[in-house]
């Protein structure tokens, strides 16, 4: 009988561990934003769908996702893997809504539009380049084109723009 009691005592801490508390609506909303922005970023990379009104979301979306995950790990004590599963659940739910909707992009847009504001607050958009930075980039493009093609029509055009 003793081995059975020892086994029961060893297994008891595993059984006694409580599941993490359910996520509150705000936390679920942030995960839903990550999911919606991930869907758009994926479509943008593949050139699918009309997401022309949205900024490029791949790089900023990854930073946003990391920031949301870090915050939720601190708030809830959940692991990164647990949060990835939650995001995948949200992605699946959005994809199901999109498949059932007359306009497949509408459910994602409805969630993503307010999320862009949150994205801009967490990961600000990059500043547009200054005129000297643009001139420097055009000069580099001119040098590359001139080295590759000689003084072609494209190289001449780039040299004019770089000089301006």
């Amino acid at each position: 009988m003793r081995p059975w009691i020892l086994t029961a005592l060893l297994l008891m801490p595993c059984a006694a561990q409580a599941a993490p508390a359910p996520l509150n609506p705000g936390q679920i909303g942030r995960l839903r934003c990550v999911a919606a922005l991930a869907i758009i970023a994926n479509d943008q990379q593949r050139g699918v769908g009309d997401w022309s009104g949205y900024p490029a979301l791949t790089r900023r979306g990854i930073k946003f996702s990391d920031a949301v995950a870090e915050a939720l790990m601190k708030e809830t004590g959940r692991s990164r893997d647990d949060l990835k599963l939650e995001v995948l659940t949200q992605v699946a739910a959005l994809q199901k809504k999109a498949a059932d909707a007359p306009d497949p992009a509408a459910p994602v847009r409805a969630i993503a539009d307010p999320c862009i504001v949150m994205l801009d607050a967490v990961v600000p958009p990059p500043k547009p380049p200054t005129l000297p930075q643009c001139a420097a980039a055009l000069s580099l493009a001119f040098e590359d084109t001139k080295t590759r093609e000689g003084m072609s029509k494209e190289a001449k055009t780039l040299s004019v723009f770089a000089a301006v």
Side-chain angles (χ1 to χ4, degrees):
M1 186 138 78
R2 261 194 181 154
W4 180 82
I5 293 172
L6 182 60
T7 305
L9 289 174
L10 288 173
L11 293 177
M12 193 162 40
C14 294
Q17 287 178 341
L23 297 171
N24 67 40
Q27 293 165 335
I28 292 171
R30 287 186 276 170
L31 290 174
R32 192 171 293 128
C33 280
V34 169
L37 297 179
I39 290 170
I40 294 170
N42 185 38
D43 284 356
Q44 287 175 337
Q45 283 183 325
R46 294 181 307 135
V48 177
D50 181 23
W51 302 107
S52 57
Y54 290 84
L57 292 173
T58 303
R59 288 188 179 154
R60 288 179 60 214
I62 290 169
K63 290 179 183 178
F64 177 73
S65 174
D66 288 344
V68 168
E70 288 296 323
L72 289 177
M73 285 189 301
K74 287 179 185 172
E75 291 172 22
T76 66
R78 292 175 189 250
S79 71
R80 187 173 295 276
D81 289 336
D82 290 342
L83 294 172
K84 282 181 185 179
L85 288 174
E86 293 286 343
V87 169
L88 289 175
T89 300
Q90 294 299 324
V91 167
L94 281 171
Q95 288 175 332
K96 184 175 181 340
K97 282 183 185 178
D100 296 340
D103 176 12
V108 178
R109 283 184 199 281
I111 292 170
D113 288 342
C115 294
I116 294 294
V117 175
M118 188 185 313
L119 171 71
D120 289 344
V122 174
V123 184
K127 295 179 184 174
T130 63
L131 188 57
Q133 289 171 330
C134 287
L138 284 169
S139 292
L140 290 172
F142 162 68
E143 292 298 329
D144 275 353
T145 305
K146 182 180 169 189
T147 302
R148 189 177 59 248
E149 301 173 6
M151 205 54 183
S152 66
K153 182 178 178 181
E154 289 81 14
K156 288 178 186 176
T157 303
L158 287 170
S159 71
V160 169
F161 284 123
V164 173

